[in-house]
Amino acid sequence: MFLICPLCREPLRPAEKSYRCAQNHSFDQAKEGYLSLLHGRQKGDGRGDSQAMMLARDRVHRAGVFAPLVAALAALPFEHPPRSVLELGCGEGFFLGHMVKSQGIAASYGLDLSVDAVKLAAKTLKPSLILRADLLNPLPFADGSLDLVQSIFAPRPLAEIRRVLRPGGHALFVYPQADHWEELRAFLPLAGIGEDKLPAEGLPGFTPIAAMPVVAKSDLLHAVLVDLVEMSPSIHRLTREGTDWRSLLPAHLEATLSVRVALFRKI
């Protein structure tokens, strides 16, 4: 176990239904199975993606919309399969579960701020330890303790990723390209891509291993288009504005999944 206490940075050890450190800081494992490492004013249910966003994302994944990306991740050229993986912003755990299965990874961890996300991830990924934590804080892992850290459509705290990876460990990033769902954007003014999710280039302490585009067109029905919007950050603004955005979407649309996969190795 490589978990460390977010309060004192001492190792955390399992103790019945909680985790404790030598300083006697304690963090309870929820009945749903996830471990919350939030403390003090960090606690609260209304942070991160909502339950509606999580359920929409789950329906999109079940519809196979991201199947081309799943196939690309399964074919990544690891010289040696990673033994441990941490996914940042794991959501409901879809990509983490596929990575664990395709690469045969023994120890897996998912981290997300949304309580609805970690509840769903803990339910669907029984062998993984799902953590509720904030990426604005240091990662709750010891130095050089992980083989792979992946961030798929999520923020990338590069200094922390570098710290928790062992020498020779890998960082995996997936981010949208300029034409990602461009046909859908013609119907709705969706939010732009934040800088923390744009291309990772010239990373100090890393050498690039692979970079590949994943581009695929799919004919998506209205219900799937609705879920793609519902799962995105744009839903917050659309809801605030009271826009009848569902009626603006067509009955079906050929839309382009366009992302880039980048794999780096820590020097």
Side-chain angles (χ1 to χ4, degrees):
M1 177 64 65
F2 303 112
L3 283 180
I4 57 177
C5 175
L7 294 172
C8 65
R9 311 304 287 173
E10 294 283 343
L12 280 176
R13 308 292 183 190
E16 296 183 355
K17 294 184 179 181
S18 66
Y19 282 71
R20 297 178 183 272
C21 70
Q23 301 297 322
N24 210 32
H25 297 129
S26 179
F27 301 89
D28 294 332
Q29 197 156 8
K31 65 179 183 297
E32 293 88 353
Y34 70 88
L35 174 65
S36 178
L37 296 180
L38 300 182
H39 53 88
R41 294 183 179 180
Q42 295 178 341
K43 294 181 179 180
D45 291 345
R47 306 177 70 210
D49 291 348
S50 68
Q51 183 181 46
M53 294 172 73
M54 284 297 107
L55 294 176
R57 186 178 302 174
D58 185 53
R59 290 190 296 269
V60 166
H61 289 321
R62 291 179 184 276
V65 174
F66 286 87
L69 176 55
V70 169
L73 295 176
L76 284 169
F78 291 105
E79 184 177 352
H80 301 289
R83 295 163 296 178
S84 59
V85 59
L86 164 66
E87 180 169 355
L88 306 178
C90 68
E92 79 296 340
F94 176 79
F95 291 111
L96 179 60
H98 278 286
M99 181 63 74
V100 167
K101 183 178 179 180
S102 65
Q103 302 294 340
I105 300 175
S108 54
Y109 308 90
L111 186 153
D112 206 290
L113 179 60
S114 164
V115 67
D116 294 300
V118 295
K119 284 180 180 179
L120 188 54
K123 179 180 178 180
T124 57
L125 298 176
K126 296 295 186 183
S128 301
L129 179 58
I130 305 300
L131 308 170
R132 188 178 183 215
D134 194 336
L135 285 177
L136 294 178
N137 298 318
L139 295 176
F141 288 85
D143 295 0
S145 59
L146 295 168
D147 292 331
L148 171 64
V149 176
Q150 63 187 43
S151 172
I152 301 177
F153 308 122
R156 301 184 302 259
L158 295 176
E160 279 296 288
I161 292 173
R162 187 183 307 110
R163 179 184 66 80
V164 301
L165 281 174
R166 65 168 179 80
H170 291 85
L172 169 64
F173 305 126
V174 177
Y175 50 86
Q177 299 192 112
D179 57 343
H180 185 53
W181 303 134
E182 63 179 355
E183 299 89 352
L184 181 56
R185 292 175 182 276
F187 289 87
L188 290 175
L190 301 182
I193 307 301
E195 290 186 2
D196 59 345
K197 301 177 186 178
L198 289 175
E201 298 174 350
L203 304 185
F206 289 92
T207 183
I209 300 300
M212 67 193 82
V214 178
V215 180
K217 287 185 177 293
S218 301
D219 190 16
L220 304 178
L221 296 177
H222 182 268
V224 178
L225 298 174
V226 167
D227 282 336
L228 281 173
V229 177
E230 187 84 52
M231 66 184 264
S232 76
S234 299
I235 192 61
H236 300 300
R237 176 178 53 79
L238 294 171
T239 300
R240 285 196 308 270
E241 294 175 351
T243 305
D244 184 17
W245 56 270
R246 292 174 178 83
S247 67
L248 301 177
L249 297 174
H252 65 91
L253 179 70
E254 186 177 65
T256 304
L257 166 72
S258 182
V259 301
R260 193 163 186 84
V261 177
L263 182 65
F264 297 83
R265 184 173 62 232
K266 180 179 175 181
I267 301 171

